[in-house]
Amino acid sequence: EVQLVESGGGLVQAGGSLRLSCATSGFTFDDYTIGWFRQAPGKEREGVSCISPRNGDTYVADSVKGRFTITGDNAKNTVYLQMNSLKPDDTAVYYCAAKFLTTPQIMAVLGPSVWHEWGQGTLVTVSS
């Protein structure tokens, strides 16, 4: 059974930091690109960042570039999203997703509907 389990969300003040984790199981980690999406109330789900565990290639959306960093631990089949300098606009439910045999650049050109597997999400709230 494929599972993606997010953790690490919470309430933080503007300017603060959080680290999200996405623990995966049930599939071959190296065969997938693992990504983070977010969805704020009343808005569409948007891609934030993703990584190819096989070669370490990453994609980071312009909206978070310079503030968010994605990394992977192949030994633990886990992907992390380090979020620094958080802003109230970063408030959203953050979802982990996996897509089979692709490159991270797909997040720049295609929407969330093409991603195969999803976690349940973790809420990040940034207060002003």
Side-chain angles (χ1 to χ4, degrees):
E1 179 187 5
V2 172
Q3 284 192 318
L4 293 90
V5 180
E6 303 97 332
S7 62
L11 174 64
V12 64
Q13 288 188 331
S17 299
L18 284 174
R19 189 178 80 154
L20 304 183
S21 299
C22 173
T24 74
S25 61
F27 59 91
T28 303
F29 194 59
D30 282 0
D31 286 345
Y32 284 71
T33 289
I34 312 296
W36 287 97
F37 290 79
R38 67 185 181 184
Q39 189 164 18
K43 295 187 177 181
E44 294 186 352
R45 193 170 296 189
E46 65 171 350
V48 175
S49 186
C50 58
I51 186 169
S52 168
R54 177 167 294 182
N55 58 20
D57 286 349
T58 63
Y59 166 82
V60 182
D62 287 343
S63 58
V64 303
K65 196 167 289 183
R67 300 188 297 122
F68 291 11
T69 303
I70 190 168
T71 57
D73 185 333
N74 289 28
K76 296 182 178 180
N77 290 351
T78 299
V79 169
Y80 304 97
L81 185 68
Q82 178 66 43
M83 306 186 296
N84 298 330
S85 302
L86 283 161
K87 306 174 182 178
D89 283 351
D90 295 318
T91 295
V93 177
Y94 284 71
Y95 297 92
C96 181
K99 181 164 174 54
F100 183 62
L101 289 181
T102 189
T103 66
Q105 293 308 311
I106 196 171
M107 184 173 274
V109 295
L110 293 176
S113 63
V114 303
W115 289 70
H116 300 126
E117 309 291 344
W118 290 87
Q120 293 300 306
T122 186
L123 176 63
V124 172
T125 304
V126 184
S127 63
S128 57

